[in-house]
Amino acid sequence: MKKIKINRLGKKSNKTIFAFGEADVEEVFLKHIRAVYGRNTGVSAKITSWHGVSPETIIEKALRIRSTSIYDDSFVLLDGDIPIPTASLNLAKKQKLKLFISKPCVEGFFLTFLNDKLPTGLRQSDECKNKFKEKYFPRRKEIKISDYEKFFEKKFSKLFFESVRKNNKMLNEIIKIITEL
């Protein structure tokens, strides 16, 4: 049963979450999920990124923000191409900070639910990024954040998310946290 918070004025309070993305693409993706599912879900979400610093630094910053702010839930969306130190993983677990790790990278995560086969090999992360770029942005030398925003709006509708989240545990969990559905 859901716990309902009542604020000091006697009104129902929204659940508050803080979502951290490793870089701008993750931030835009998380904001897109929030936009697709609507803002009237009973969840107030703060979504930000740290522009590609190390996973260890991102986890430390997320924990620091959590320690100085009151959030009901928080999580980090990271690429899995850089090993995360065991100490950081243990600290996140101890502090109940959820970690969603895209293996090998967020572009690979997108490819999985776009039904594309992931490349295998020593440079799997780079190969996923190249495959994603070649397939979905073939005429672009460089992909801008606004390109990702347009791509998400075009490809990732609520109907699409509902059809793929059943088979993608990580996507399903992220949607649940952001929307409390």
Side-chain angles (χ1 to χ4, degrees):
M1 190 166 146
K2 287 184 190 176
K3 183 179 171 184
I4 298 174
K5 294 189 322 182
I6 306 295
N7 67 19
R8 61 185 172 80
L9 300 174
K11 295 181 180 178
K12 182 180 161 193
S13 296
N14 283 347
K15 175 183 171 184
T16 58
I17 66 160
F18 203 117
F20 308 86
E22 178 179 324
D24 294 335
V25 175
E26 289 86 348
E27 178 183 357
V28 169
F29 176 68
L30 295 171
K31 286 180 175 179
H32 178 71
I33 291 173
R34 182 181 60 190
V36 163
Y37 281 88
R39 295 183 183 267
N40 299 322
T41 61
V43 177
S44 294
K46 169 76 174 153
I47 300 171
T48 192
S49 71
W50 280 297
H51 316 292
V53 296
S54 74
E56 183 178 14
T57 303
I58 291 170
I59 291 169
E60 288 171 6
K61 287 183 177 188
L63 290 170
R64 197 172 318 122
I65 286 175
R66 275 204 29 203
S67 70
T68 60
S69 305
I70 301 173
Y71 291 99
D72 297 311
D73 209 345
S74 57
F75 69 89
V76 178
L77 177 59
L78 297 164
D79 285 349
D81 55 351
I82 298 173
I84 302 170
T86 305
S88 295
L89 293 171
N90 291 339
L91 186 59
K93 185 176 182 178
K94 182 179 175 185
Q95 299 289 328
K96 298 181 180 170
L97 175 67
K98 293 177 184 79
L99 301 179
F100 293 107
I101 302 170
S102 305
K103 293 183 181 173
C105 57
V106 76
E107 290 83 359
F109 179 51
F110 301 150
L111 289 170
T112 61
F113 51 82
L114 289 165
N115 291 324
D116 288 304
K117 189 173 180 185
L118 292 181
T120 57
L122 296 175
R123 303 194 45 84
Q124 190 179 11
S125 180
D126 290 339
E127 291 171 22
C128 283
K129 290 174 184 189
N130 289 336
K131 181 175 182 175
F132 186 79
K133 182 182 179 291
E134 289 168 8
K135 184 163 184 178
Y136 297 105
F137 300 99
R139 293 183 188 94
R140 298 254 190 241
K141 273 190 173 181
E142 190 176 314
I143 309 170
K144 299 176 186 170
I145 289 304
S146 60
D147 295 328
Y148 278 102
E149 290 169 337
K150 290 173 190 166
F151 175 80
F152 295 152
E153 287 173 18
K154 182 178 176 184
K155 292 281 190 185
F156 297 162
S157 66
K158 186 173 184 177
L159 185 63
F160 175 80
F161 279 141
E162 288 302 309
S163 71
V164 298
R165 72 187 278 193
K166 299 172 203 147
N167 300 319
N168 191 304
K169 184 179 177 183
M170 189 165 91
L171 177 63
N172 188 49
E173 287 299 312
I174 290 170
I175 292 171
K176 278 185 185 178
I177 293 170
I178 289 178
T179 63
E180 199 170 68
L181 293 176

